[in-house]
Amino acid sequence: MIYEGTGGELWWDRIGGKILKEGTYELWAGNECDTIKVTSVEVIKRNGPKGKLVKPEVACRGEKVEIKVTAGGEDLKYTLLGDVDSYQKVLHECMGQKEEFSMGSYAGYTTYRLKASYPDGSCSKVISIQSATLLDTPNPLDIRGKDVCMVFNEETGDIEGEIEIGLPLEKEEEVNYFLCAEDINHRVDQILVGDNRFFFQNQNTPGCYFVYAEHNRTNCTDTMNGVFCLGAVPDTLTYLYVD
């Protein structure tokens, strides 16, 4: 085949309308003065990339899931992509293995794509797509409250003070909320599904309080934003003055 140069790039994957067969092709260039061999190219027929993504386990939103590849090849390079809005983010790249192998653990992606190619970049294409099932999880809302210091009432001799903590108006209908003191296992009050309250019972025990939430249908959990503390009265101190 003869092509007339245009000053730009020349390329082709067919000659005479037929796909190039395996073999060595020579490129010659010439004009009225001379004709020279520029280069030669070897065309090698390769099998298309193989491998597929294993269906990710069901997880709560924000919880990591491991992404695995099966039926891959040791001579292939794999790239894992995660869908983010309208584009795909590269999450991991590695050479393949014959046995099932991991591409890492990730959270927040609903669709994963596996792209494979040979190490030189040839035959690159997306060969597998898997959707992740993310269960409904409580949204991390900002709880209402403020830090409070307990005080000593000299007239009565009592230590007074309590802390009030509440949920925002955006509290979710399918979520149970638990007021916790110091850790999630020490629950001092709760606002369950169907309870119209927004504020927990006031607390008068010194310590720091936060809200832990659990989705009533999926059992997925999250901690709400905010920690408020009820400060104890300082211990009585005795001062010794020395002249």
Side-chain angles (χ1 to χ4, degrees), residues 162-176:
E162 59 184 17
I163 192 168
E164 182 182 51
I165 295 176
L167 300 172
L169 297 178
E170 299 80 17
K171 78 167 184 172
E172 299 177 274
E173 293 182 356
E174 290 189 285
V175 174
N176 297 313

Side-chain angles (χ1 to χ4, degrees), residues 56-57 59 62-69 80 82 89-92 101-109 112 132 134:
E57 294 182 358
E63 186 177 50
K64 287 187 175 183
V65 293
E66 186 176 18
I67 305 301
K68 297 179 181 179
V69 177
L80 180 66
K89 179 181 179 180
V90 175
L91 302 178
H92 187 64
F101 62 94
S102 175
M103 296 290 281
S105 297
Y106 308 93
Y109 299 97
Y112 295 90
L134 301 181

Side-chain angles (χ1 to χ4, degrees), residues 39-50:
T39 189
S40 62
V41 177
E42 184 179 7
V43 175
I44 301 173
K45 184 178 179 180
R46 285 176 165 173
N47 294 323
K50 61 181 180 178

